């Protein structure tokens, strides 16, 4: 097996396992955990790759963070074996941004997820129940992450960034009725659209605009009122009309978490253990916010990680808006569900952080793919 095929196989396996994590129950997730660790180990490949990773200036930060977080979790009573992701995620990120992949084949996990969701929706006319023990809101999480992986690899390898995965992500997010999922998938679509737009000739831009605007105007003139009545009747739009962006459950959990934090209290530095809190128990111990999860598990490291994320976004906004919009879509999506921080998709955010601090010439490197 040549190098590109091996890299592609490992990335496909990782993304498929990440998808299965949402499909299966808690007991089977424990089986997937060692498989993820194995893939991360194999991704290092050979001694040269190991040496390259160990020479990375970032490795010392993650080692210090790992032992610091273990100490914090033991002290707070929040210990979880998934703390190993602190070491696994940067390994996977290093692999992701430094290797070449067959982009025709790494589409497999995305379209596997799409097929699974399409079959479920065709059978039940709803996305409810699609994931074991999880909300259909995670439909957008799985698709945003998979579409982001595809887009980043295509862009980094100087291939055409395909817009179809981003469009499908928006459509299936709408079917799942998740407001934040739809909003964040639209941000991802904007990133992919803009990178394609910038590569178009002036004539092609006019044609694309005309193909969207003219049919829209015709439909609005012919059936405008009927469409408005139909849209308002769809449960998602009615939900949006009634509640806007408010989410009472998430607001309750956020207030409940922060009411237990005080700079003079140990919880401020080691994270509040909400395991016995009645509100968190009521909502299945799911904080519905990755940043609450971050403070819960990482304690004082929260105050290092969040500024790093903000600085990375601002630097990317200046140097590479395509990556900046992808990072924004992921970070915004993380605000309304527990999708990051000791998660299988952490490597994607870490990859974007790594690329933020690379030299400018490495932001969009030339890559030889003759051996695919």
């Amino acid at each position: 097996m040549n190098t590109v095929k091996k890299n592609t196989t490992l990335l496909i396996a990782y993304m498929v396992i990440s998808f299965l994590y949402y499909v299966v129950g808690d007991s089977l997730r424990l089986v997937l955990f060692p498989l993820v660790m194995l893939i991360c180990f194999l991704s290092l490949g050979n001694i040269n790759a190991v040496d390259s990773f160990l020479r990375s200036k970032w490795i010392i930060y993650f080692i210090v963070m790992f032992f610091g977080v273990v100490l914090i979790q033991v002290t707070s009573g929040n210990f979880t074996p998934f703390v190993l992701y602190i070491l696994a995620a940067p390994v996977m990120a290093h692999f992701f941004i430094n290797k070449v992949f067959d982009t025709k084949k790494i589409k497999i996990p995305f379209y596997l997820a799409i097929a699974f969701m399409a079959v479920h929706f065709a059978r039940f006319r709803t996305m409810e129940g699609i994931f074991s023990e999880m909300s259909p809101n995670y439909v957008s999480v799985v698709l945003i992450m998979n579409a982001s992986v595809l887009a980043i690899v295509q862009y980094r390898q100087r291939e055409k960034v395909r817009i179809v995965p981003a469009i499908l992500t928006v459509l299936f997010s709408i079917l799942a009725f998740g407001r934040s999922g739809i909003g964040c998938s639209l941000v991802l679509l904007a990133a992919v659209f803009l990178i394609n737009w910038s590569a178009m000739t002036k004539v092609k831009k006019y044609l694309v605009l005309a193909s969207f605007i003219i049919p829209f105007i015709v439909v609005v003139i012919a059936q405008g009122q009927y469409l408005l009545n139909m849209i308002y009747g769809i449960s998602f739009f009615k939900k949006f009309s009634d509640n806007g962006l408010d989410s009472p459950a998430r607001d309750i959990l956020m207030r409940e978490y922060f009411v237990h934090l005080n700079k003079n209290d140990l919880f401020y530095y080691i994270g509040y253990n909400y395991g016995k809190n009645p509100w968190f128990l009521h909502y299945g111990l799911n904080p519905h916010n990755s940043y609450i999860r971050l403070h819960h598990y990482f304690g004082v490291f929260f105050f290092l990680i969040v500024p790093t994320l903000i600085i990375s976004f601002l630097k990317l906004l200046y140097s590479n808006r395509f990556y900046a919009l992808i990072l924004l879509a992921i970070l915004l999506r993380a605000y309304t569900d527990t999708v990051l921080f000791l998660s299988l998709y952490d490597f994607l955010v870490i990859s974007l952080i790594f690329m933020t601090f690379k030299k400018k010439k490495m932001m969009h490197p030339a890559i030889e793919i003759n051996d695919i």
Side-chain angles (χ1 to χ4, degrees), residues 58-266:
W58 290 96
I59 185 63
I60 188 67
Y61 299 134
F62 285 99
I63 290 174
V64 170
M65 185 183 297
F66 171 74
F67 286 106
V69 170
V70 168
L71 180 61
I72 286 170
Q73 289 186 0
V74 169
T75 304
S76 65
N78 294 335
F79 182 76
T80 170
F82 296 115
V83 71
L84 287 171
Y85 284 145
I86 294 176
L87 299 178
V91 173
M92 196 65 195
H94 184 269
F95 167 73
F96 180 62
I97 65 175
N98 287 290
K99 301 298 182 181
V100 182
F101 305 96
D102 183 344
T103 50
K104 291 180 180 178
K105 291 179 180 175
I106 62 168
K107 296 175 184 177
I108 291 172
F110 178 81
Y111 285 105
L112 179 67
I114 287 289
F116 177 82
M117 293 168 187
V119 169
H120 181 91
F121 188 80
R123 287 183 63 194
F124 303 106
R125 304 299 182 193
T126 178
M127 286 297 184
E128 290 292 338
I130 190 168
F131 295 136
S132 176
E133 304 166 12
M134 286 194 176
S135 160
N137 286 337
Y138 285 91
V139 164
S140 63
V141 172
V142 170
L143 296 183
I144 286 171
M145 299 302 185
N146 276 273
S148 296
V149 165
L150 276 173
I152 290 170
V153 172
Q154 289 169 344
Y155 177 79
R156 194 174 59 82
Q157 295 183 180
R158 293 190 174 181
E159 302 177 31
K160 181 177 175 60
V161 181
R162 303 293 176 180
I163 200 168
V164 172
I167 292 173
L168 288 173
T169 298
V170 173
L171 292 176
F172 277 83
S173 297
I174 291 172
L175 293 179
F177 295 151
R179 288 165 292 174
S180 65
I182 294 170
C184 295
S185 63
L186 286 171
V187 173
L188 177 62
L189 177 60
V192 177
F193 179 80
L194 289 174
I195 202 68
N196 280 279
W197 180 262
S198 64
M200 292 179 188
T201 63
K202 187 175 288 187
V203 172
K204 193 170 183 179
K205 287 178 180 179
Y206 286 136
L207 290 173
V208 169
L209 282 174
S211 67
F212 280 99
I213 293 172
I214 293 173
F216 177 77
I217 292 173
V218 171
V219 170
V220 168
I221 292 173
Q223 298 289 345
Q225 190 58 49
Y226 172 76
L227 287 174
L228 285 174
N229 293 337
M230 184 180 70
I231 288 171
Y232 185 76
I234 296 174
S235 60
F236 162 73
F237 292 101
K238 190 172 188 308
K239 179 180 178 182
F240 195 92
S241 175
D242 292 342
N243 300 325
L245 293 173
D246 291 337
S247 176
R250 290 179 174 87
D251 292 343
I252 289 169
L253 292 174
M254 192 175 295
R255 286 197 301 270
E256 189 67 17
Y257 189 85
F258 285 112
V259 79
H260 288 88
L261 298 184
N262 186 299
K263 287 186 178 180
N264 299 320
D265 196 323
L266 187 61

